[in-house]
Amino acid sequence: EGDSELSGLFAEPSGTAKAPSVVLVHEWWGINGHIRALAERLASAGFLVVAPDLFHGKVAKDAAAAAALMTALDTVQATREIAAAAAFLNTHPRGNGKVGVMGFCMGGALSFAAACHVEGLSAVVPFYGTPPKETVDFARVTAPVLAHFAKNDDWATVERAEEIKNELEAHGKSMTLEIYDAGHAFVNDTRPEAYDEKSATLA
């Protein structure tokens, strides 16, 4: 989008070969150590990565600050910034033309929004996030969706994930739903109270 200033993290795999790309959408904390580590991990696995900074430099230190940042976020503008990141990766000299979106928590919710509003995606992988109904139009989804949810999650519930799967399938779209015996944010290894190594490794 011409009117979207794109800021955030960029990571690329070693070498010069063309690579698939991932737009990594952060949690309600912002671009913190966990997101930086995930970006580096994806790059070391062979992906070009952009993690757009939807909070433009702000990083929450506690849940109250994170909730305030998330509440203040303009989801339409955030989705535009995700689209701008996808466009950047699509035209990057090392990109192979395949761009996926992966997001966690708030980023998982925005990944579903991106599936509806960003054209040309190859895959969408939301982790434990469900979008407000007004941000999505599942009839517009073109990419296959692989969603990861946790049984013990009061925020991104399995029930809502199953509703989304049914809505997508009613429109002839593809969604694979994986459910883990874990809690919310089970991939976040910087939060021992949330992290579930077995589930995170499998996902």
Side-chain angles (χ1 to χ4, degrees), residues 21-51:
S21 302
V22 175
V23 180
L24 175 63
V25 191
H26 61 73
E27 298 179 300
W28 69 344
W29 309 105
I31 300 267
N32 61 5
H34 173 50
I35 297 300
R36 290 176 194 283
L38 281 172
E40 291 302 326
R41 189 168 157 193
L42 285 163
S44 67
F47 294 93
L48 284 174
V49 186
V50 169

Side-chain angles (χ1 to χ4, degrees), residues 9-201:
L9 288 181
F10 175 65
E12 61 183 309
S14 56
T16 56
K18 288 197 178 284
S21 302
V22 175
V23 180
L24 175 63
V25 191
H26 61 73
E27 298 179 300
W28 69 344
W29 309 105
I31 300 267
N32 61 5
H34 173 50
I35 297 300
R36 290 176 194 283
L38 281 172
E40 291 302 326
R41 189 168 157 193
L42 285 163
S44 67
F47 294 93
L48 284 174
V49 186
V50 169
D53 183 358
L54 305 177
F55 293 159
H56 304 286
K58 294 183 177 139
V59 181
K61 298 289 188 232
D62 57 52
L69 284 169
M70 185 172 75
T71 301
L73 185 69
D74 178 341
T75 53
V76 173
Q77 177 60 22
T79 305
R80 282 197 195 112
E81 290 173 30
I82 293 166
F88 169 81
L89 288 165
N90 218 9
T91 58
H92 193 278
R94 286 198 63 192
N96 71 358
K98 290 186 181 293
V99 179
V101 173
M102 172 187 285
F104 295 79
C105 174
M106 179 191 85
L110 288 168
S111 296
F112 277 116
C116 301
H117 300 295
V118 180
E119 291 177 10
L121 297 175
S122 296
V124 177
V125 186
F127 280 78
Y128 37 76
T130 58
K133 291 187 177 178
E134 67 275 10
T135 65
V136 289
D137 177 359
F138 291 121
R140 298 178 59 181
V141 173
T142 54
V145 177
L146 169 61
H148 300 277
F149 280 75
K151 280 182 190 170
N152 310 314
D153 189 337
D154 296 329
W155 188 70
T157 64
V158 169
E159 290 75 17
R160 179 64 185 130
E162 287 170 341
E163 281 176 17
I164 291 170
K165 178 177 164 67
N166 292 336
E167 288 172 47
L168 277 162
E169 289 176 348
H171 289 292
K173 314 300 181 180
S174 162
M175 175 169 150
T176 302
L177 175 59
E178 300 290 352
I179 298 165
Y180 300 83
D181 193 9
H184 187 71
F186 65 80
V187 176
N188 193 337
D189 56 6
T190 67
R191 296 178 58 212
E193 75 283 4
Y195 182 56
D196 184 305
E197 184 178 12
K198 184 181 171 190
S199 298
T201 304

